C-alpha cells in the first residue's frame, strides 16, 4: 500500500494525507486504496528506484508491454520499457524520459515516444516521468505513467491525410480559375467595363488567397507528421538572405517601404579592408527561403510606414537572422501563441489584412528541422523583430562536408 489510511480527520466527509484528499467512505473501505486504483487505471504505471530497477509495475503496464509484472519487477527499466526511434533502433539510455527524470530530478514528458514490446512489435506511447525526491533532497527514484497512443496517432494520421489530399486536390481547380480570371483581366484578350473589371480583380485576389491557404494547409499537414521534404546541404547564408531581401524590396515598393540588408562584420576590419563574414550552415536552401520570405512579407504586410531591416549576424557557433519592422507591433499576450497553427492577432488592423495564421507555424516547423530556434520581440505600436538562430559551421567544417558530399555523388563516366 502506498499511503497509510489517515488517522486525522480534516473535514466531516474528507481526509487528507500529503496532497491527497479522500472522502471518509473511501478511507474506511479497506478494499479501496491506492493499490486498488493502480490496479484499475488504464494507463501503465511503473516505479523505479535510484538504480533504475523496477519496483512497481501495475496491471495496465503489464498489459501494454506484454511483460508479466512478476518478471518486470526487479529488472532494469531499460529491459521492460525500451524506447526506439522511427527506424526501430533502440534509443540511447540518456534519451529515455525515465533516465532524464532520474538524472535531473525534474518531471520529463515525452508525448511522441515509441515503445518496443516484449513480442518485438512497436507501440506509440506518451510518457510522463516524475522524480521521487527523498527527505534529503536527493532523487530516490521515478514514477512514470505511460499511455497507449496507437488509436490517437491513427486518427491524427487520418485527419492529416484528409487535409493533405483535400488541399492537394483543390489546388488544381483553383489554379484553373486563377488562370481564366487573369485571361479575362487581360485587355488584349477581353473587353470589360470598369465595374466588371473591379469585380474580377476582387475575385482574382480572393482566388489567390485561397491558393495560398491550400498550399499552407498542405505544407503544415506535412510538417505535422514529419513528411516535410528537405534536402539539406552546406549553404552560405549571406547569399540566401540577400536574395530574399531583394525579392522583398520589390514587393515593398508598392507600399513605399524601404527594405535594407545589414551584414554584420563579426571578423572586423583588416588592413583597411572589411572582411565579409561567411555564415555557413546545413539546411535546405528552398525551405529557408520560404521562412525568410514569410518573415519579410509579414514585416511588409503589418507595417504601414517606415522600414524593414534584415540583419545577419552570429558568433562562431550560431547564425542569427533578425527581421525588424517599424509596424503595428504585437500585443504581449499574443506573443506566446503566435507560432501556433491558425493563430492571428485579433484587432481591427489584422481583420482587414488577409492571412491564414499558418505562416509562422510553418516557419517554426522548418527551423526546428535544422535544430534552430525562432522567436519574436515586439513593442505595440513601435514594431517587431523576428529572430532565427541556426547552428553555424566553421569554414573548415563546411569545406569538409562539401567535399564528402561531392565524393558520394558518382562521377559521370567518360564517353566513348
Ligand atoms: P498570417 O500573416 O497569414 O496571418 P502568420 O502565421 O504569418 O499568419 O502570422 C500570425 C499572426 O502574427 C498574424 O496574423 C499577425 O497578427 C501576427 N504577425 C506576424 N508577423 C507580424 C509582424 N511583423 N508585425 C505584427 N504582427 C505580426
Amino acid at each position: 500500500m502506498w499511503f497509510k489510511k489517515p488517522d486525522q480527520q480534516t473535514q466531516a466527509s474528507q481526509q487528507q494525507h500529503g496532497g491527497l484528499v479522500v472522502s471518509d467512505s473511501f478511507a474506511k473501505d479497506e478494499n479501496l486504496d491506492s493499490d486498488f486504483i493502480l490496479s484499475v487505471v488504464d494507463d501503465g504505471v511503473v516505479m523505479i528506484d535510484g538504480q533504475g530497477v523496477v519496483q512497481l509495475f501495475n496491471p495496465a503496464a503489464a498489459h501494454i508491454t506484454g511483460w508479466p509484472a512478476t518478471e518486470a519487477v526487479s529488472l532494469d527499466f531499460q529491459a521492460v520499457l525500451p524506447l526506439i526511434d522511427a527506424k526501430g533502433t533502440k534509443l540511447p539510455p540518456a534519451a529515455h524520459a525515465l533516465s532524464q527524470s532520474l538524472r535531473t530530478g525534474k518531471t520529463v514528458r515525452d508525448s511522441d515516444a515509441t515503445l518496443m514490446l516484449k513480442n518485438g512489435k512497436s507501440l506509440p506511447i506518451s510518457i510522463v516521468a516524475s522524480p521521487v525526491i527523498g527527505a534529503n533532497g536527493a532523487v530516490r527514484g521515478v514514477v512514470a505513467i505511460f499511455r497507449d497512443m496507437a488509436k490517437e496517432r491513427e486518427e491524427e494520421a487520418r485527419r492529416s491525410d484528409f487535409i493533405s489530399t483535400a488541399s492537394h486536390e483543390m489546388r488544381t481547380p483553383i489554379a484553373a480559375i486563377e488562370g481564366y480570371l487573369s485571361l479575362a483581366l487581360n485587355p488584349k484578350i477581353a473587353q470589360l467595363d470598369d465595374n466588371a473589371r473591379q469585380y474580377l480583380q476582387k475575385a482574382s485576389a480572393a482566388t489567390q488567397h485561397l491558393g495560398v491557404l491550400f498550399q499552407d494547409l498542405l505544407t503544415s499537414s506535412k510538417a505535422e507528421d514529419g513528411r516535410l521534404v528537405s534536402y539539406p546541404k552546406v549553404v552560405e547564408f549571406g547569399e540566401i538572405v540577400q536574395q530574399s531581401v531583394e525579392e522583398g524590396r520589390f514587393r515593398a515598393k508598392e507600399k513605399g517601404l524601404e527594405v535594407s540588408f545589414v551584414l554584420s562584420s563579426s571578423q572586423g576590419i583588416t588592413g583597411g579592408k572589411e572582411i565579409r563574414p561567411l555564415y555557413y550552415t546545413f539546411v535546405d536552401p528552398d525551405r529557408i527561403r520560404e521562412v525568410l520570405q514569410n518573415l519579410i512579407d509579414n514585416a511588409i504586410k503589418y507595417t504601414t510606414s517606415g522600414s524593414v531591416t534584415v540583419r545577419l549576424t552570429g558568433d562562431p557557433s550560431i547564425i542569427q537572422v533578425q527581421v525588424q519592422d517599424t509596424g503595428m507591433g504585437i500585443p504581449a499576450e499574443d506573443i506566446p501563441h503566435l507560432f501556433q497553427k491558425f493563430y492571428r492577432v485579433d484587432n481591427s488592423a489584422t481583420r482587414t489584412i488577409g492571412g491564414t495564421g499558418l505562416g509562422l507555424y510553418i516557419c517554426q516547423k522548418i527551423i526546428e528541422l535544422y535544430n534552430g530556434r525562432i522567436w519574436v520581440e515586439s513593442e505595440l505600436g513601435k514594431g517587431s523583430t523576428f529572430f532565427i538562430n541556426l547552428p553555424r559551421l566553421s569554414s573548415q567544417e563546411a569545406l569538409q562536408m562539401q567535399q564528402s558530399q561531392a565524393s558520394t555523388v558518382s562521377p559521370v563516366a567518360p564517353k566513348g
Side-chain angles (χ1 to χ4, degrees):
M1 192 185 295
W2 272 27
F3 67 80
K4 297 267 170 286
K5 294 278 170 168
D7 12 70
Q8 213 187 350
Q9 206 151 308
T10 52
Q11 271 184 28
S13 58
Q14 287 183 355
Q15 307 194 6
Q16 203 164 359
H17 17 173
L20 208 59
V21 178
V22 294
S23 75
D24 253 357
S25 54
F26 175 90
K28 275 188 207 127
D29 191 336
E30 282 299 323
N31 298 317
L32 292 180
D33 58 14
S34 56
D35 291 359
F36 169 76
I37 295 171
L38 281 176
S39 68
V40 295
V41 288
D42 215 25
D43 290 344
V45 180
V46 58
M47 184 179 178
I48 59 169
D49 65 12
Q51 277 67 51
V53 177
V54 177
Q55 303 295 318
L56 180 148
F57 209 67
N58 79 338
H63 179 72
I64 295 171
T65 61
W67 282 90
T70 44
E71 279 182 45
V73 168
S74 74
L75 285 180
D76 188 288
F77 78 91
Q78 300 273 4
V80 291
L81 282 180
L83 297 185
I84 52 174
D85 64 16
K87 289 184 194 135
T89 316
K90 211 169 152 184
L91 291 188
H96 201 296
L98 270 77
S99 341
Q100 287 176 358
S101 178
L102 202 57
R103 197 175 62 244
T104 59
K106 294 202 172 117
T107 296
V108 177
R109 291 163 205 277
D110 185 352
S111 54
D112 199 18
T114 306
L115 178 70
M116 193 201 268
L117 308 176
K118 188 167 190 273
N119 63 11
K121 291 190 176 155
S122 61
L123 182 77
I125 58 163
S126 69
I127 309 182
V128 180
S130 309
V132 178
I133 311 284
N136 60 356
V139 183
R140 286 182 47 202
V142 170
V143 176
I145 299 176
F146 58 98
R147 176 170 291 184
D148 176 350
M149 297 295 283
K151 248 199 201 126
E152 280 89 341
R153 300 265 169 90
E154 238 170 64
E155 273 164 23
E156 256 170 46
R158 256 203 303 273
R159 214 170 30 233
S160 136
D161 221 41
F162 170 74
I163 292 178
S164 70
T165 314
S167 39
H168 191 77
E169 292 301 320
M170 285 187 220
R171 276 188 325 160
T172 318
I174 286 172
I177 299 172
E178 255 184 79
Y180 284 118
L181 283 173
S182 71
L183 283 177
L185 283 165
N186 185 339
K188 286 187 196 144
I189 295 174
Q191 257 65 55
L192 296 173
D193 65 27
D194 283 353
N195 264 349
R197 175 169 300 281
Q198 260 186 28
Y199 296 149
L200 288 187
Q201 272 166 346
K202 284 192 175 145
S204 172
T207 316
Q208 271 175 24
H209 182 196
L210 207 58
V212 172
L213 174 64
F214 282 125
Q215 178 60 50
D216 281 357
L217 269 176
L218 188 62
T219 315
S220 68
S221 80
K222 283 184 181 171
E224 207 165 55
D225 51 21
R227 284 184 297 122
L228 213 54
V229 180
S230 166
Y231 299 105
K233 58 181 188 182
V234 175
V235 293
E236 204 284 296
F237 229 68
E239 269 175 47
I240 296 187
V241 181
Q242 178 118 35
Q243 281 169 6
S244 303
V245 169
E246 264 151 36
E247 285 162 20
R249 200 170 278 150
F250 187 69
R251 290 190 294 275
K253 239 185 184 167
E254 294 170 15
K255 282 185 89 174
L257 293 175
E258 201 179 306
V259 183
S260 53
F261 176 40
V262 180
L263 182 71
S264 93
S265 55
S266 58
Q267 274 145 300
I269 295 171
T270 320
K273 217 174 135 208
E274 193 171 330
I275 298 177
R276 183 182 180 278
L278 294 171
Y279 291 105
Y280 288 109
T281 184
F282 190 68
V283 295
D284 181 333
D286 291 334
R287 289 272 169 236
I288 288 297
R289 271 190 207 104
E290 250 177 87
V291 174
L292 294 171
Q293 185 186 333
N294 213 309
L295 296 185
I296 297 172
D297 275 354
N298 275 353
I300 298 169
K301 200 159 80 168
Y302 299 106
T303 303
T304 41
S305 66
S307 59
V308 173
T309 311
V310 182
R311 276 190 202 86
L312 177 58
T313 175
D315 66 20
S317 59
I318 283 168
I319 287 178
Q320 184 171 90
V321 183
Q322 303 168 5
V323 180
Q324 185 177 26
D325 64 58
T326 54
M328 62 177 72
I330 301 159
E333 65 270 21
D334 289 298
I335 287 183
H337 310 287
L338 221 56
F339 295 90
Q340 287 166 7
K341 221 168 159 184
F342 298 116
Y343 195 85
R344 302 200 73 211
V345 176
D346 187 23
N347 58 31
S348 55
T350 51
R351 253 173 263 143
T352 55
I353 300 172
T356 61
L358 284 169
L360 290 179
Y361 170 78
I362 294 172
C363 287
Q364 187 176 44
K365 287 285 175 191
I366 293 175
I367 295 299
E368 283 173 355
L369 217 56
Y370 308 119
N371 302 318
R373 196 162 83 83
I374 179 167
W375 75 102
V376 63
E377 286 172 11
S378 183
E379 203 176 330
L380 203 56
K382 293 212 166 145
S384 317
T385 307
F386 282 81
F387 296 84
I388 297 172
N389 273 8
L390 281 166
R392 183 175 181 180
L393 297 172
S394 68
S395 300
Q396 202 181 358
E397 283 168 331
L399 191 70
Q400 272 168 5
M401 285 174 81
Q402 272 168 335
Q403 278 168 349
S404 71
Q405 266 177 353
S407 66
T408 54
V409 178
S410 44
V412 181
K415 282 193 186 137

